[in-house]
Amino acid sequence: MARYIVGLTGGIGSGKSAAADAFQALGITVVDADWAARVVVQRGRPALEQIAEHFGADVLLKSGELDRARLRQLVFENEDERRWLEGLLHPLIREEIVQALAAASSPYAILESPLLIESGQDTLVQRVCVVDLPEEMQIERASARDRNDPEQIRKIMAAQLPRVERLQKADDVLDNSGDLASLTAQVHALHAHYLELAAAGQ
Ligand code: ADP
């Protein structure tokens, strides 16, 4: 089990995955909170049954898998339903993350999570690393990646922590306003630092 965990966060399109890839290339285990969120509602998991009981069977696809788009629709404008769903899923996601982190054997591990701070997952980590860039670049990169219109990206950003508040929580910042080579160089520098911190047990 890696005893030293670094939380990697940032808004949509900030470059979390790109930074996580660079850590992974250095042999560091990366646990992705989005992956955990998908795993807990896979077929055969109790949470999926509970969701189908609560919202009705038409929240499932013909294959028996969760119809994510339908579920998003159902909770989008209903605060009570959203709370119910979060109450069910957040502890399960957390447990999945804890188990995956416990299985990590690298000197330290990374928890990559878009909502690290918002969801309270930051209590699982010793240090917070924020991937940061100007909001206009974030919108540009995220909409190019997702082929989404910028308005849609702005809406998602509005549900995430504002840039300034996220930066206030950062122990370390990866400035991703440059190219990928610049991001990778910064990851390499942080990696050396994290190895030292992990070895010192700090
Ligand atoms: P996140 O995981 O935070 O949502 P990604 O890592 O997927 O963000 O990055 C968003 C998009 O921007 C992706 O298409 C990615 O390839 C691209 N990208 C990330 N960092 C850079 C960079 N430094 N220069 C150019 N494109 C980048």
Side-chain angles (χ1 to χ4, degrees), residues 14 16 31 39 45 50 59 77 81 124 127-128 145 153 156 167-168 201:
S14 59
K16 288 179 296 298
V31 174
V39 165
R45 291 289 188 116
Q50 285 173 266
V59 80
E77 275 166 8
E81 296 292 34
L124 295 171
R127 208 169 170 87
V128 173
R145 181 196 58 191
I153 302 296
I156 295 169
L167 283 172
Q168 278 167 359

Side-chain angles (χ1 to χ4, degrees), residues 160-173:
Q160 299 182 332
L161 212 57
R163 184 182 181 197
V164 177
E165 286 177 38
R166 190 182 294 109
L167 283 172
Q168 278 167 359
K169 302 273 184 182
D171 296 298
D172 306 298
V173 177

Side-chain angles (χ1 to χ4, degrees), residues 10-19 112 141-142 145 176 178-180 183:
I12 180 172
S14 59
K16 288 179 296 298
S17 302
E112 176 192 352
R141 285 186 186 163
R145 181 196 58 191
N176 196 20
D179 59 12
L180 281 172
L183 180 68

Side-chain angles (χ1 to χ4, degrees), residues 72-113:
R72 252 196 311 273
Q73 228 172 31
L74 287 169
V75 300
F76 187 65
E77 275 166 8
N78 191 325
E79 186 84 353
D80 288 343
E81 296 292 34
R82 191 174 57 77
R83 288 228 180 84
W84 180 87
L85 188 67
E86 285 178 354
L88 173 71
L89 295 183
H90 280 183
L92 298 173
I93 294 168
R94 193 179 173 92
E95 186 49 38
E96 202 67 39
I97 289 171
V98 167
Q99 281 183 25
L101 287 172
S105 56
S106 51
Y108 67 93
I110 298 272
L111 169 57
E112 176 192 352
S113 176

Side-chain angles (χ1 to χ4, degrees), residues 44 60 87 121 129-130 145 167 178 184:
L60 299 178
Q121 286 163 359
C129 176
V130 168
R145 181 196 58 191
L167 283 172
T184 305

Side-chain angles (χ1 to χ4, degrees), residues 11-200:
I12 180 172
S14 59
K16 288 179 296 298
S17 302
D21 287 350
F23 280 108
Q24 216 155 19
L26 295 166
I28 297 306
T29 299
V30 175
V31 174
D32 175 1
D34 284 343
W35 162 84
R38 286 192 299 273
V39 165
V40 298
V41 292
Q42 274 173 354
R43 258 170 55 184
R45 291 289 188 116
L48 185 58
E49 259 171 58
Q50 285 173 266
I51 290 170
E53 257 168 43
H54 185 85
F55 290 103
D58 64 344
V59 80
L60 299 178
L61 298 166
K62 281 210 183 78
S63 62
E65 277 162 319
L66 182 63
D67 186 341
R68 294 173 170 283
R70 175 89 186 115
L71 183 63
R72 252 196 311 273
Q73 228 172 31
L74 287 169
V75 300
F76 187 65
E77 275 166 8
N78 191 325
E79 186 84 353
D80 288 343
E81 296 292 34
R82 191 174 57 77
R83 288 228 180 84
W84 180 87
L85 188 67
E86 285 178 354
L88 173 71
L89 295 183
H90 280 183
L92 298 173
I93 294 168
R94 193 179 173 92
E95 186 49 38
E96 202 67 39
I97 289 171
V98 167
Q99 281 183 25
L101 287 172
S105 56
S106 51
Y108 67 93
I110 298 272
L111 169 57
E112 176 192 352
S113 176
L115 300 173
L116 183 82
I117 298 156
E118 295 89 326
S119 70
Q121 286 163 359
D122 55 344
T123 57
L124 295 171
V125 307
Q126 275 69 51
R127 208 169 170 87
V128 173
C129 176
V130 168
V131 189
D132 181 64
L133 77 178
E135 284 170 347
E136 284 313 308
M137 282 183 95
Q138 191 186 342
I139 293 166
E140 212 172 279
R141 285 186 186 163
S143 46
R145 181 196 58 191
D146 302 343
R147 295 196 195 86
N148 243 331
D149 69 279
E151 243 351 272
Q152 194 60 30
I153 302 296
R154 278 181 211 278
K155 273 189 198 151
I156 295 169
M157 285 169 67
Q160 299 182 332
L161 212 57
R163 184 182 181 197
V164 177
E165 286 177 38
R166 190 182 294 109
L167 283 172
Q168 278 167 359
K169 302 273 184 182
D171 296 298
D172 306 298
V173 177
L174 286 166
D175 172 5
N176 196 20
S177 59
D179 59 12
L180 281 172
S182 157
L183 180 68
T184 305
Q186 293 173 68
V187 166
H188 287 191
L190 276 184
H191 174 65
H193 187 41
Y194 292 157
L195 285 176
E196 281 174 10
L197 290 174

